[in-house]
Coordinates of all heavy atoms in Angstrom, one line a residue:
M325 N -65.6 29.6 -30.5 CA -65.3 29.6 -29.1 C -65.8 28.1 -28.6 O -65.0 27.5 -27.8 CB -65.9 30.7 -28.3 CG -65.8 30.6 -26.9 SD -64.0 31.1 -26.4 CE -64.2 31.3 -24.7
L326 N -66.9 27.8 -28.9 CA -67.5 26.6 -28.5 C -66.7 25.4 -29.1 O -66.5 24.4 -28.4 CB -69.0 26.4 -28.9 CG -69.8 25.3 -28.3 CD1 -69.7 25.3 -26.8 CD2 -71.3 25.4 -28.8
G327 N -66.2 25.5 -30.3 CA -65.4 24.5 -31.0 C -64.2 24.3 -30.3 O -63.7 23.1 -30.1
M328 N -63.6 25.4 -29.8 CA -62.3 25.2 -29.1 C -62.5 24.5 -27.7 O -61.8 23.7 -27.2 CB -61.6 26.6 -28.8 CG -61.0 27.2 -30.0 SD -60.4 28.8 -29.8 CE -59.6 28.9 -28.2
L329 N -63.6 24.9 -27.0 CA -63.9 24.2 -25.8 C -64.2 22.7 -26.0 O -63.7 22.0 -25.1 CB -65.2 24.9 -25.2 CG -65.5 24.5 -23.8 CD1 -64.5 24.7 -22.8 CD2 -66.8 25.2 -23.4
W330 N -64.9 22.5 -27.0 CA -65.2 21.1 -27.2 C -63.8 20.2 -27.5 O -63.8 19.2 -26.9 CB -66.1 21.0 -28.5 CG -66.4 19.6 -28.8 CD1 -66.0 18.9 -29.8 CD2 -67.3 18.6 -28.1 NE1 -66.4 17.5 -29.9 CE2 -67.3 17.4 -28.7 CE3 -68.1 18.7 -26.9 CZ2 -68.0 16.3 -28.2 CZ3 -68.7 17.7 -26.5 CH2 -68.7 16.4 -27.2
R331 N -62.9 20.8 -28.4 CA -61.8 20.1 -28.6 C -60.9 19.9 -27.4 O -60.3 18.9 -27.2 CB -60.9 20.9 -29.8 CG -61.5 20.6 -31.2 CD -60.5 21.3 -32.2 NE -60.4 22.7 -32.2 CZ -61.3 23.5 -32.7 NH1 -62.3 23.1 -33.5 NH2 -61.2 24.9 -32.7
S332 N -60.9 21.0 -26.6 CA -60.2 20.9 -25.3 C -60.6 19.8 -24.4 O -60.0 18.9 -23.8 CB -60.1 22.2 -24.6 OG -59.6 22.1 -23.4
L333 N -62.0 19.8 -24.3 CA -62.6 18.7 -23.5 C -62.4 17.3 -24.0 O -62.1 16.4 -23.4 CB -64.2 18.9 -23.5 CG -65.1 18.1 -22.6 CD1 -64.5 18.1 -21.1 CD2 -66.4 18.4 -22.7
T334 N -62.5 17.2 -25.4 CA -62.3 15.8 -26.1 C -60.9 15.4 -25.7 O -60.6 14.2 -25.5 CB -62.6 16.0 -27.5 OG1 -64.0 16.4 -27.7 CG2 -62.3 14.7 -28.3
K335 N -59.9 16.4 -26.0 CA -58.5 16.0 -25.8 C -58.2 15.6 -24.3 O -57.6 14.5 -24.1 CB -57.6 17.3 -26.0 CG -56.2 17.0 -26.1 CD -55.5 18.2 -26.5 CE -54.0 17.9 -26.6 NZ -53.2 19.1 -27.1
R336 N -58.8 16.4 -23.3 CA -58.7 15.9 -21.9 C -59.3 14.6 -21.7 O -58.7 13.8 -20.9 CB -59.3 17.0 -21.1 CG -58.9 17.0 -19.7 CD -59.2 18.2 -18.8 NE -59.7 19.3 -19.5 CZ -60.7 20.1 -19.1 NH1 -61.3 19.9 -18.1 NH2 -61.0 21.1 -20.0
T337 N -60.4 14.3 -22.1 CA -61.2 13.0 -22.0 C -60.3 11.9 -22.5 O -60.2 10.9 -21.8 CB -62.5 13.1 -22.6 OG1 -63.4 14.1 -22.1 CG2 -63.3 11.8 -22.4
K338 N -59.7 12.0 -23.7 CA -58.8 11.0 -24.2 C -57.7 10.8 -23.4 O -57.3 9.7 -23.1 CB -58.4 11.4 -25.6 CG -57.5 10.3 -26.3 CD -57.1 10.7 -27.7 CE -56.1 9.6 -28.3 NZ -55.6 8.6 -27.6
K339 N -57.0 11.9 -22.9 CA -55.9 11.8 -22.0 C -56.2 11.0 -20.8 O -55.5 10.1 -20.3 CB -55.4 13.1 -21.6 CG -54.0 13.1 -20.7 CD -53.6 14.4 -20.4 CE -52.4 14.3 -19.5 NZ -52.1 15.3 -18.6
N340 N -57.4 11.4 -20.1 CA -57.9 10.6 -18.9 C -58.1 9.1 -19.3 O -57.7 8.4 -18.4 CB -59.1 11.3 -18.3 CG -58.8 12.5 -17.7 OD1 -57.7 12.9 -17.3 ND2 -59.9 13.4 -17.5
S341 N -58.7 8.8 -20.4 CA -58.9 7.5 -20.7 C -57.7 6.7 -21.0 O -57.4 5.6 -20.6 CB -59.7 7.5 -22.1 OG -60.0 6.1 -22.6
D342 N -56.6 7.4 -21.6 CA -55.3 6.7 -21.8 C -54.6 6.4 -20.5 O -54.1 5.3 -20.2 CB -54.4 7.6 -22.7 CG -54.9 7.6 -24.1 OD1 -55.7 6.7 -24.5 OD2 -54.4 8.5 -24.8
E343 N -54.7 7.4 -19.6 CA -54.2 7.2 -18.2 C -54.8 6.1 -17.4 O -54.2 5.3 -16.8 CB -54.1 8.5 -17.5 CG -53.2 9.6 -18.0 CD -53.4 10.9 -17.3 OE1 -54.3 11.1 -16.4 OE2 -52.5 11.8 -17.6
N344 N -56.1 6.1 -17.6 CA -56.9 4.9 -16.9 C -56.5 3.6 -17.4 O -56.3 2.7 -16.6 CB -58.4 5.2 -17.0 CG -58.8 6.3 -16.2 OD1 -58.3 6.7 -15.2 ND2 -60.1 6.9 -16.4
R345 N -56.4 3.5 -18.7 CA -55.9 2.2 -19.3 C -54.5 1.9 -18.8 O -54.3 0.7 -18.5 CB -56.0 2.3 -20.8 CG -57.2 1.8 -21.4 CD -57.2 1.6 -22.9 NE -56.9 2.8 -23.7 CZ -57.7 3.8 -24.0 NH1 -58.9 3.6 -23.8 NH2 -57.2 4.7 -24.8
A346 N -53.6 2.8 -18.8 CA -52.2 2.6 -18.3 C -52.2 2.2 -16.8 O -51.5 1.3 -16.5 CB -51.3 3.9 -18.5
F347 N -53.0 2.8 -16.1 CA -53.1 2.6 -14.6 C -53.7 1.1 -14.5 O -53.1 0.3 -13.6 CB -54.1 3.4 -13.9 CG -54.2 3.3 -12.5 CD1 -53.3 3.5 -11.5 CD2 -55.3 2.7 -11.9 CE1 -53.4 3.4 -10.1 CE2 -55.5 2.4 -10.5 CZ -54.5 2.7 -9.8
R348 N -54.8 0.8 -15.2 CA -55.3 -0.5 -15.1 C -54.4 -1.6 -15.5 O -54.2 -2.6 -14.9 CB -56.6 -0.6 -16.0 CG -57.3 -1.9 -16.0 CD -58.5 -1.9 -17.0 NE -59.6 -2.4 -16.3 CZ -60.8 -1.9 -16.0 NH1 -61.0 -0.7 -16.4 NH2 -61.6 -2.6 -15.4
G349 N -53.6 -1.4 -16.6 CA -52.6 -2.3 -17.1 C -51.5 -2.5 -16.1 O -51.0 -3.7 -15.8
G350 N -51.0 -1.4 -15.5 CA -50.0 -1.5 -14.5 C -50.5 -2.3 -13.2 O -49.8 -3.1 -12.7
M351 N -51.7 -2.0 -12.9 CA -52.2 -2.8 -11.7 C -52.3 -4.3 -12.0 O -52.0 -5.1 -11.1 CB -53.6 -2.2 -11.2 CG -54.2 -2.8 -10.0 SD -53.0 -2.6 -8.5 CE -53.0 -1.0 -8.3
V352 N -52.8 -4.7 -13.2 CA -53.0 -6.1 -13.6 C -51.4 -6.7 -13.6 O -51.4 -7.8 -13.0 CB -53.6 -6.1 -15.0 CG1 -53.4 -7.6 -15.6 CG2 -55.1 -5.9 -14.9
A353 N -50.5 -6.0 -14.1 CA -49.1 -6.5 -14.1 C -48.6 -6.7 -12.7 O -48.0 -7.7 -12.3 CB -48.2 -5.6 -14.8
L354 N -48.9 -5.7 -11.8 CA -48.4 -6.0 -10.4 C -49.0 -7.1 -9.6 O -48.6 -7.8 -9.0 CB -48.7 -4.6 -9.7 CG -47.7 -3.5 -9.9 CD1 -48.3 -2.2 -9.3 CD2 -46.4 -3.7 -9.6
L355 N -50.4 -7.2 -9.9 CA -51.1 -8.4 -9.2 C -50.7 -9.6 -9.8 O -50.4 -10.6 -9.0 CB -52.7 -8.2 -9.5 CG -53.3 -7.1 -8.6 CD1 -54.7 -6.8 -9.1 CD2 -53.3 -7.5 -7.2
R356 N -50.4 -9.7 -11.1 CA -49.9 -11.0 -11.6 C -48.5 -11.3 -11.1 O -48.3 -12.5 -10.7 CB -49.8 -10.8 -13.2 CG -49.3 -12.1 -14.0 CD -49.0 -11.9 -15.4 NE -50.0 -11.2 -16.1 CZ -49.9 -10.0 -16.7 NH1 -48.8 -9.4 -16.6 NH2 -50.9 -9.5 -17.4
D357 N -47.7 -10.3 -11.0 CA -46.3 -10.6 -10.5 C -46.4 -11.0 -9.1 O -45.7 -12.0 -8.7 CB -45.6 -9.3 -10.6 CG -44.2 -9.4 -10.0 OD1 -43.3 -10.3 -10.6 OD2 -43.8 -8.9 -9.0
R358 N -47.3 -10.5 -8.2 CA -47.4 -10.8 -6.8 C -47.9 -12.2 -6.6 O -47.6 -12.9 -5.8 CB -48.3 -9.8 -6.0 CG -48.3 -10.0 -4.6 CD -46.9 -10.0 -4.0 NE -47.1 -10.4 -2.6 CZ -46.5 -11.7 -2.3 NH1 -46.1 -12.6 -3.1 NH2 -46.8 -12.1 -1.0
I359 N -48.9 -12.5 -7.6 CA -49.5 -13.9 -7.4 C -48.5 -14.9 -7.9 O -48.4 -16.0 -7.2 CB -50.8 -13.9 -8.3 CG1 -51.9 -13.1 -7.6 CG2 -51.3 -15.3 -8.4 CD1 -53.1 -12.9 -8.5
I360 N -47.7 -14.6 -8.9 CA -46.6 -15.6 -9.3 C -45.7 -15.8 -8.2 O -45.1 -16.9 -8.0 CB -46.1 -15.2 -10.7 CG1 -47.2 -15.3 -11.8 CG2 -44.9 -16.0 -11.0 CD1 -46.8 -14.6 -13.2
Q361 N -45.3 -14.6 -7.6 CA -44.3 -14.8 -6.5 C -44.9 -15.6 -5.4 O -44.0 -16.5 -4.7 CB -43.9 -13.4 -5.9 CG -43.1 -12.5 -6.8 CD -42.8 -11.2 -6.2 OE1 -43.0 -10.9 -5.0 NE2 -42.3 -10.2 -7.0
A362 N -46.2 -15.5 -5.0 CA -46.7 -16.3 -4.0 C -46.7 -17.7 -4.5 O -46.5 -18.6 -3.6 CB -48.1 -15.7 -3.6
Y363 N -47.1 -17.9 -5.6 CA -47.1 -19.3 -6.2 C -45.7 -20.0 -6.0 O -45.7 -21.2 -5.5 CB -47.6 -19.2 -7.6 CG -47.3 -20.7 -8.3 CD1 -48.5 -21.5 -8.3 CD2 -46.3 -21.0 -9.1 CE1 -48.5 -22.8 -8.8 CE2 -46.2 -22.2 -9.7 CZ -47.2 -23.1 -9.6 OH -47.1 -24.3 -10.2
N364 N -44.8 -19.4 -6.5 CA -43.4 -19.9 -6.4 C -42.9 -20.2 -5.0 O -42.4 -21.3 -4.5 CB -42.4 -19.1 -7.1 CG -42.5 -19.1 -8.6 OD1 -42.9 -20.1 -9.2 ND2 -42.2 -18.0 -9.3
Y365 N -43.2 -19.2 -4.1 CA -42.8 -19.3 -2.7 C -43.5 -20.5 -2.0 O -42.9 -21.3 -1.3 CB -43.2 -18.0 -2.0 CG -42.8 -18.0 -0.5 CD1 -41.6 -17.8 -0.1 CD2 -43.8 -18.1 0.5 CE1 -41.1 -17.8 1.2 CE2 -43.6 -18.1 1.7 CZ -42.2 -17.9 2.1 OH -41.9 -17.9 3.5
Y366 N -44.8 -20.5 -2.1 CA -45.6 -21.6 -1.3 C -45.5 -22.9 -2.0 O -45.5 -23.9 -1.3 CB -47.1 -21.2 -1.1 CG -47.1 -20.1 -0.2 CD1 -47.4 -18.7 -0.6 CD2 -46.9 -20.2 1.2 CE1 -47.5 -17.7 0.4 CE2 -46.9 -19.2 2.1 CZ -47.3 -18.0 1.6 OH -47.3 -16.9 2.5
M367 N -45.3 -23.0 -3.3 CA -45.1 -24.3 -3.9 C -43.8 -24.9 -3.5 O -43.6 -26.1 -3.1 CB -45.1 -24.3 -5.5 CG -46.4 -24.0 -6.0 SD -47.7 -25.1 -5.7 CE -47.4 -26.4 -6.7
D368 N -42.6 -24.0 -3.3 CA -41.4 -24.5 -2.7 C -41.5 -24.9 -1.3 O -40.9 -25.8 -0.8 CB -40.3 -23.4 -2.7 CG -39.8 -23.2 -4.1 OD1 -40.1 -24.1 -5.0 OD2 -39.1 -22.2 -4.4
K369 N -42.4 -24.2 -0.4 CA -42.6 -24.5 1.0 C -43.5 -25.8 1.1 O -43.4 -26.5 2.1 CB -43.3 -23.4 1.6 CG -42.4 -22.2 1.8 CD -43.2 -21.1 2.6 CE -43.1 -21.3 4.1 NZ -42.0 -20.9 4.9
G370 N -44.3 -26.0 0.1 CA -45.1 -27.3 0.2 C -46.5 -27.2 0.9 O -47.1 -28.1 1.1
Y371 N -46.7 -26.0 1.4 CA -47.9 -25.7 2.0 C -48.4 -24.3 1.8 O -47.5 -23.5 1.4 CB -48.0 -26.1 3.6 CG -47.0 -25.1 4.4 CD1 -47.6 -24.2 5.2 CD2 -45.6 -25.4 4.4 CE1 -46.8 -23.4 5.9 CE2 -44.9 -24.5 5.2 CZ -45.4 -23.5 6.0 OH -44.6 -22.8 6.7
F372 N -49.6 -24.0 2.0 CA -50.3 -22.7 1.6 C -51.1 -22.2 2.8 O -52.3 -22.7 2.9 CB -51.1 -22.8 0.3 CG -51.4 -21.6 -0.3 CD1 -50.7 -20.4 -0.3 CD2 -52.7 -21.6 -0.9 CE1 -51.3 -19.3 -0.9 CE2 -53.1 -20.4 -1.6 CZ -52.3 -19.2 -1.5
P373 N -50.7 -21.5 3.8 CA -51.4 -21.2 5.0 C -52.7 -20.4 4.7 O -52.8 -19.8 3.7 CB -50.4 -20.3 5.8 CG -49.1 -20.4 5.2 CD -49.3 -20.9 3.7
I374 N -53.6 -20.4 5.6 CA -54.9 -19.9 5.4 C -54.8 -18.4 5.2 O -55.4 -17.7 4.3 CB -55.8 -20.1 6.7 CG1 -56.2 -21.6 6.6 CG2 -57.1 -19.2 6.6 CD1 -56.9 -22.1 7.8
Y375 N -54.0 -17.6 5.8 CA -53.9 -16.1 5.7 C -53.3 -15.9 4.3 O -53.8 -14.8 3.6 CB -53.0 -15.4 6.7 CG -51.5 -16.0 6.6 CD1 -50.6 -15.1 5.8 CD2 -50.9 -17.0 7.2 CE1 -49.3 -15.5 5.5 CE2 -49.5 -17.3 7.1 CZ -48.7 -16.6 6.3 OH -47.5 -16.9 6.1
A376 N -52.4 -16.7 3.8 CA -51.8 -16.5 2.4 C -53.0 -16.8 1.4 O -53.1 -16.1 0.4 CB -50.7 -17.3 2.3
R377 N -53.8 -17.8 1.6 CA -54.9 -18.1 0.8 C -55.9 -17.0 0.6 O -56.3 -16.6 -0.4 CB -55.7 -19.3 1.3 CG -55.0 -20.6 1.2 CD -55.8 -21.7 1.7 NE -55.0 -22.9 1.7 CZ -55.3 -23.9 1.0 NH1 -56.3 -23.9 0.0 NH2 -54.5 -25.1 0.9
E378 N -56.2 -16.3 1.7 CA -57.0 -15.1 1.8 C -56.4 -13.9 0.9 O -57.2 -13.4 0.2 CB -57.4 -14.7 3.1 CG -58.2 -15.7 3.9 CD -58.5 -15.3 5.3 OE1 -57.8 -14.4 5.8 OE2 -59.2 -15.9 6.0
N379 N -55.1 -13.7 1.1 CA -54.5 -12.7 0.4 C -54.4 -12.8 -1.1 O -54.8 -12.1 -1.9 CB -53.1 -12.4 0.9 CG -53.1 -11.8 2.3 OD1 -54.0 -11.1 2.7 ND2 -52.0 -12.1 3.0
V380 N -54.1 -14.1 -1.4 CA -53.9 -14.4 -2.9 C -55.4 -14.5 -3.5 O -55.5 -14.1 -4.7 CB -53.2 -15.8 -3.0 CG1 -53.2 -16.3 -4.5 CG2 -51.7 -15.6 -2.7
T381 N -56.2 -15.1 -2.8 CA -57.7 -15.1 -3.4 C -58.2 -13.7 -3.7 O -58.8 -13.4 -4.7 CB -58.6 -15.8 -2.4 OG1 -58.1 -17.2 -2.3 CG2 -60.0 -15.9 -3.0
G382 N -57.9 -12.7 -2.7 CA -58.3 -11.4 -2.9 C -57.6 -10.7 -4.1 O -58.3 -10.0 -4.9
M383 N -56.4 -11.0 -4.2 CA -55.7 -10.4 -5.4 C -56.2 -11.0 -6.7 O -56.3 -10.2 -7.6 CB -54.2 -10.8 -5.2 CG -53.4 -9.8 -4.2 SD -51.6 -10.0 -4.3 CE -51.4 -11.8 -3.5
H384 N -56.5 -12.3 -6.7 CA -57.0 -13.0 -7.8 C -58.4 -12.3 -8.3 O -58.5 -12.1 -9.5 CB -57.1 -14.4 -7.6 CG -57.5 -15.1 -8.9 ND1 -58.5 -16.1 -8.9 CD2 -56.9 -15.1 -10.1 CE1 -58.5 -16.5 -10.2 NE2 -57.6 -16.1 -10.9
E385 N -59.2 -12.1 -7.3 CA -60.5 -11.5 -7.7 C -60.4 -10.2 -8.3 O -60.9 -9.9 -9.3 CB -61.3 -11.4 -6.4 CG -61.8 -12.7 -5.8 CD -62.5 -12.5 -4.4 OE1 -62.7 -11.4 -4.0 OE2 -62.8 -13.6 -3.8
Q386 N -59.5 -9.4 -7.7 CA -59.3 -8.0 -8.3 C -58.6 -8.1 -9.7 O -58.9 -7.3 -10.6 CB -58.4 -7.1 -7.4 CG -59.1 -6.9 -6.0 CD -60.5 -6.5 -6.1 OE1 -60.9 -5.5 -6.9 NE2 -61.4 -7.2 -5.3
Y387 N -57.7 -9.0 -9.9 CA -57.0 -9.3 -11.1 C -58.0 -9.6 -12.2 O -58.0 -9.1 -13.4 CB -56.0 -10.4 -11.0 CG -55.3 -10.9 -12.1 CD1 -54.2 -10.2 -12.7 CD2 -55.7 -12.1 -12.9 CE1 -53.5 -10.6 -13.8 CE2 -54.9 -12.5 -13.9 CZ -53.9 -11.8 -14.4 OH -53.2 -12.1 -15.4
K388 N -59.0 -10.5 -11.8 CA -60.0 -10.8 -12.9 C -60.9 -9.6 -13.2 O -61.2 -9.4 -14.3 CB -60.8 -12.0 -12.4 CG -60.0 -13.3 -12.3 CD -60.9 -14.5 -12.0 CE -61.7 -14.4 -10.7 NZ -62.4 -15.6 -10.3
K389 N -61.2 -8.9 -12.1 CA -62.1 -7.7 -12.4 C -61.4 -6.7 -13.3 O -62.1 -6.0 -14.0 CB -62.5 -7.0 -11.2 CG -63.5 -7.9 -10.3 CD -63.8 -7.1 -9.1 CE -64.7 -7.9 -8.2 NZ -65.0 -7.3 -6.8
L390 N -60.1 -6.6 -13.2 CA -59.4 -5.7 -14.0 C -59.1 -6.2 -15.4 O -58.4 -5.7 -16.3 CB -58.1 -5.3 -13.4 CG -58.3 -4.4 -12.1 CD1 -57.0 -4.2 -11.4 CD2 -58.7 -3.0 -12.5
G391 N -59.5 -7.4 -15.8 CA -59.3 -8.0 -17.0 C -58.2 -8.9 -17.1 O -57.8 -9.3 -18.3
G392 N -57.6 -9.4 -16.1 CA -56.5 -10.4 -16.2 C -56.9 -11.6 -16.7 O -58.1 -12.1 -16.8
N393 N -56.0 -12.4 -17.5 CA -56.4 -13.6 -18.2 C -56.6 -14.8 -17.3 O -56.2 -14.6 -16.0 CB -55.4 -13.8 -19.3 CG -53.9 -14.1 -18.7 OD1 -53.8 -14.5 -17.7 ND2 -53.0 -13.8 -19.5
G394 N -56.9 -16.0 -17.9 CA -56.9 -17.2 -17.1 C -55.7 -17.9 -16.7 O -55.8 -18.8 -15.9
V395 N -54.6 -17.5 -17.2 CA -53.3 -18.3 -16.8 C -53.1 -18.3 -15.4 O -52.8 -19.4 -14.7 CB -52.2 -17.6 -17.5 CG1 -50.7 -18.3 -17.1 CG2 -52.2 -17.7 -19.0
I396 N -53.4 -17.2 -14.8 CA -53.2 -17.1 -13.3 C -54.1 -18.1 -12.5 O -53.9 -18.6 -11.4 CB -53.4 -15.7 -12.8 CG1 -52.2 -14.8 -13.3 CG2 -53.4 -15.6 -11.2 CD1 -50.8 -15.2 -13.0
T397 N -55.3 -18.3 -13.1 CA -56.3 -19.1 -12.4 C -55.7 -20.5 -12.3 O -56.0 -21.2 -11.2 CB -57.6 -19.2 -13.3 OG1 -58.0 -17.8 -13.4 CG2 -58.6 -20.1 -12.6
G398 N -55.0 -21.0 -13.2 CA -54.3 -22.4 -13.1 C -53.3 -22.4 -12.0 O -53.3 -23.4 -11.1
L399 N -52.7 -21.3 -11.8 CA -51.7 -21.3 -10.6 C -52.4 -21.3 -9.3 O -52.0 -21.9 -8.4 CB -50.8 -20.0 -10.7 CG -49.9 -19.8 -11.9 CD1 -49.1 -18.5 -11.8 CD2 -49.1 -21.0 -12.2
I400 N -53.6 -20.6 -9.2 CA -54.3 -20.4 -8.0 C -54.8 -21.9 -7.6 O -54.9 -22.4 -6.6 CB -55.4 -19.5 -8.1 CG1 -55.0 -18.1 -8.4 CG2 -56.4 -19.6 -6.9 CD1 -54.2 -17.5 -7.3
T401 N -55.3 -22.6 -8.7 CA -55.8 -23.9 -8.6 C -54.8 -24.9 -8.0 O -55.1 -25.7 -7.1 CB -56.4 -24.5 -10.0 OG1 -57.4 -23.6 -10.4 CG2 -56.9 -25.8 -9.8
D402 N -53.6 -24.8 -8.5 CA -52.5 -25.6 -8.0 C -52.1 -25.2 -6.5 O -52.0 -26.1 -5.7 CB -51.1 -25.4 -8.8 CG -51.3 -26.1 -10.2 OD1 -52.3 -26.8 -10.4 OD2 -50.5 -25.8 -11.0
L403 N -52.1 -23.9 -6.2 CA -51.9 -23.5 -4.7 C -52.9 -24.1 -3.9 O -52.7 -24.5 -2.7 CB -51.9 -22.0 -4.7 CG -50.6 -21.3 -5.1 CD1 -50.9 -19.8 -5.0 CD2 -49.4 -21.7 -4.1
M404 N -54.2 -24.0 -4.3 CA -55.3 -24.5 -3.3 C -55.2 -26.1 -3.1 O -55.8 -26.5 -2.2 CB -56.6 -24.3 -4.1 CG -57.0 -22.7 -4.1 SD -56.9 -22.0 -2.3 CE -57.1 -20.2 -2.8
K405 N -54.4 -26.8 -3.9 CA -54.2 -28.1 -3.6 C -53.4 -28.4 -2.4 O -53.3 -29.5 -1.9 CB -53.8 -28.9 -4.8 CG -54.8 -28.9 -6.0 CD -54.3 -29.4 -7.3 CE -55.2 -29.5 -8.4 NZ -54.7 -29.9 -9.6
L406 N -52.6 -27.4 -2.2 CA -51.5 -27.6 -1.1 C -52.2 -27.6 0.3 O -53.3 -26.9 0.4 CB -50.5 -26.5 -1.1 CG -49.5 -26.3 -2.3 CD1 -48.8 -25.0 -2.2 CD2 -48.7 -27.6 -2.2
P407 N -51.7 -28.4 1.2 CA -52.2 -28.3 2.6 C -52.0 -27.0 3.3 O -51.2 -26.1 2.7 CB -51.3 -29.3 3.4 CG -50.1 -29.5 2.6 CD -50.4 -29.2 1.1
T408 N -52.8 -26.6 4.3 CA -52.6 -25.3 4.9 C -51.7 -25.3 6.0 O -51.5 -24.2 6.5 CB -54.1 -24.9 5.5 OG1 -54.5 -25.9 6.4 CG2 -55.0 -24.8 4.4
D409 N -51.0 -26.3 6.5 CA -50.1 -26.2 7.6 C -48.9 -27.1 7.1 O -48.8 -27.9 6.5 CB -50.7 -26.6 8.9 CG -51.3 -28.1 8.9 OD1 -50.9 -28.8 8.0 OD2 -52.1 -28.3 9.8
K410 N -47.7 -26.6 7.9 CA -46.5 -27.1 7.7 C -46.3 -28.6 8.0 O -45.7 -29.5 7.2 CB -45.4 -26.4 8.6 CG -43.9 -26.7 8.2 CD -43.1 -25.7 9.0 CE -41.7 -26.0 8.5 NZ -40.8 -24.9 9.0
K411 N -47.1 -29.1 8.9 CA -46.9 -30.6 9.3 C -47.5 -31.4 8.2 O -47.1 -32.6 8.2 CB -47.6 -30.8 10.7 CG -49.1 -30.6 10.7 CD -49.6 -30.9 12.2 CE -51.0 -30.5 12.2 NZ -51.6 -30.4 13.5
H412 N -48.2 -31.0 7.3 CA -48.7 -31.7 6.2 C -48.2 -31.3 4.8 O -48.7 -31.6 3.8 CB -50.3 -31.6 6.2 CG -51.1 -32.1 7.3 ND1 -51.5 -31.3 8.3 CD2 -51.3 -33.4 7.7 CE1 -52.1 -32.1 9.2 NE2 -51.9 -33.3 9.0
A413 N -47.1 -30.5 4.9 CA -46.5 -30.1 3.8 C -46.1 -31.2 2.7 O -45.7 -32.2 3.2 CB -45.2 -29.3 4.1
Q414 N -46.2 -30.8 1.4 CA -45.7 -31.8 0.5 C -44.2 -31.6 0.4 O -43.8 -30.6 0.3 CB -46.4 -31.3 -0.8 CG -47.8 -31.4 -0.9 CD -48.4 -32.8 -1.1 OE1 -47.7 -33.6 -1.6 NE2 -49.7 -32.9 -0.5
P415 N -43.5 -32.8 0.4 CA -42.0 -32.7 0.2 C -41.7 -32.0 -1.2 O -42.4 -32.2 -2.1 CB -41.6 -34.1 0.2 CG -42.6 -34.9 0.9 CD -44.0 -34.2 0.5
K416 N -40.7 -31.2 -1.1 CA -40.3 -30.3 -2.3 C -40.0 -31.2 -3.5 O -39.3 -32.2 -3.3 CB -39.1 -29.4 -1.9 CG -38.8 -28.5 -3.0 CD -37.6 -27.6 -2.5 CE -37.4 -26.5 -3.5 NZ -36.4 -25.7 -3.1
G417 N -40.7 -30.9 -4.6 CA -40.5 -31.6 -5.8 C -41.4 -32.7 -6.0 O -41.6 -33.3 -7.0
E418 N -42.3 -33.0 -4.9 CA -43.3 -34.0 -5.1 C -44.5 -33.4 -5.9 O -45.0 -32.3 -5.6 CB -43.9 -34.5 -3.6 CG -44.8 -35.5 -3.8 CD -45.3 -36.1 -2.4 OE1 -44.4 -36.5 -1.7 OE2 -46.5 -36.0 -2.1
M419 N -45.1 -34.2 -6.7 CA -46.2 -33.7 -7.5 C -47.4 -33.8 -6.7 O -47.6 -34.7 -5.9 CB -46.4 -34.6 -8.7 CG -45.2 -34.6 -9.7 SD -44.9 -33.0 -10.4 CE -46.3 -32.7 -11.3
I420 N -48.3 -32.9 -7.1 CA -49.6 -32.7 -6.3 C -50.7 -33.6 -7.0 O -50.7 -33.6 -8.3 CB -50.1 -31.3 -6.2 CG1 -49.1 -30.6 -5.3 CG2 -51.5 -31.2 -5.5 CD1 -49.4 -29.1 -5.3

């Protein structure tokens, strides 16, 4: 009886662990996708408003905590080089 209970508990624990890994992986993928979308959008606009910086920075912090890689960090670095308002926008296609 104790053996059956132990096997059941072990099986359930493994299932929960697998689900947690899948959830974590899915969240990392969603955050990566959203950060890349923001990168493309604001690089095209030539500026990166303060509210967007706060949002993207928050997503990046969670992305790193969940084990996301450093590729996104390079995108964030490029975004932070953009001005914060439209009147100082970089012309499209101009290198930063």
Side-chain angles (χ1 to χ4, degrees):
M325 178 74 166
L326 191 54
M328 286 175 42
L329 181 60
W330 179 254
R331 279 189 296 277
S332 174
L333 183 59
T334 302
K335 188 175 183 178
R336 194 171 345 146
T337 300
K338 182 182 177 344
K339 181 182 179 205
N340 287 343
S341 178
D342 291 345
E343 288 174 353
N344 285 339
R345 269 193 299 277
F347 181 77
R348 181 181 223 123
M351 186 58 67
V352 166
L354 289 171
L355 288 167
R356 180 186 316 112
D357 179 66
R358 184 61 191 101
I359 292 168
I360 291 169
Q361 284 181 16
Y363 172 84
N364 290 330
Y365 180 77
Y366 289 109
M367 291 302 281
D368 283 347
K369 286 180 85 79
Y371 67 101
F372 190 37
I374 293 171
Y375 71 87
R377 287 174 185 254
E378 290 174 354
N379 289 336
V380 170
T381 299
M383 287 188 287
H384 186 231
E385 288 173 11
Q386 300 313 312
Y387 176 80
K388 289 188 301 186
K389 286 179 185 178
L390 290 168
N393 64 28
V395 173
I396 295 298
T397 301
L399 300 182
I400 301 295
T401 300
D402 288 347
L403 278 172
M404 292 301 177
K405 292 176 184 176
L406 291 174
T408 58
D409 57 22
K410 191 173 186 172
K411 65 183 171 191
H412 296 105
Q414 300 283 333
K416 192 172 181 179
E418 183 177 305
M419 296 301 291
I420 296 175

